[in-house]
Every structure is written in structure tokens, then in C-alpha cells.
Amino acid sequence: MVTIRNTGQTIALPVGQELMVMLPLQPFSDNYWYVAKNSGSGLKLVAGPDERRPPNWTPFDYSMVYFYFRRESPGVANLVLEQKYFSKPMILKVVD
């Protein structure tokens, strides 16, 4: 699992393994994360975005969003996730 603190890093992920990306979601009703770039070799989005809210969540609280990727072939993949109301994108380089 990687979080926003891992942005800019290179992640090793063998073929067949899954990568879970956990990101903070700002408390705005029309806010969302999206895959801005997924280029290179064999990183497939298999699920997400999946928003998870803590118990007793209110519309002004933060929540988390999860993306799930599977490594399908060897090589280098470049992944960029961006958020509508957050200036810092999630940037990862995934290698096997």
C-alpha cells in the first residue's frame, strides 16, 4: 500500500501482484481523485475509486479513497493520480 507521502517514489511491484493506493479526500461534495496518467507497461486499474469514511462521518470530515492496480506485464509504468481540490498529485514510477 502507498499513500500521498510516497509521491515521487519508485515502487517495485512484481508481475501478478496488486498495488493499493490510499489517498486523502478533501471534505467537498464534488471532490474526487482520478487517474490522470497510466502509461508504460502493464499496470491495470482493477478497482476504485473506493471512498471509505470513518464512523460518525459528517460532510465536513475527511475521508479516504482507494485505488487498486494489478501488475500485468514487466517493464516500467508511470502513474499519476490527481485530485480536483488538491494541488499535489500522486506520482509513482512502478518497476518490476
Side-chain angles (χ1 to χ4, degrees):
M1 176 172 57
V2 295
T3 66
I4 193 68
R5 288 180 271 164
N6 300 112
T7 191
Q9 293 185 3
T10 299
I11 304 296
L13 187 68
V15 174
Q17 295 294 314
E18 290 193 4
L19 172 69
M20 182 171 62
V21 181
M22 180 179 76
L23 300 166
L25 194 58
Q26 303 289 338
F28 301 108
S29 61
D30 62 341
N31 193 25
Y32 54 88
W33 281 91
Y34 59 95
V35 178
K37 180 180 178 183
N38 184 3
S39 64
S41 296
L43 192 61
K44 181 180 177 183
L45 178 67
V46 292
D50 177 20
E51 184 177 351
R52 296 188 187 173
R53 298 175 177 163
N56 302 319
W57 181 85
T58 67
F60 297 103
D61 291 338
Y62 287 83
S63 57
M64 301 302 284
V65 66
Y66 292 77
F67 288 85
Y68 303 89
F69 296 90
R70 180 180 304 119
R71 185 66 182 211
E72 302 223 320
S73 62
V76 177
N78 296 299
L79 179 64
V80 178
L81 298 148
E82 293 182 353
Q83 186 181 27
K84 185 174 179 182
Y85 292 115
F86 194 65
S87 61
K88 184 177 181 181
M90 176 63 165
I91 302 168
L92 290 175
K93 183 179 207 178
V94 182
V95 298
D96 50 337

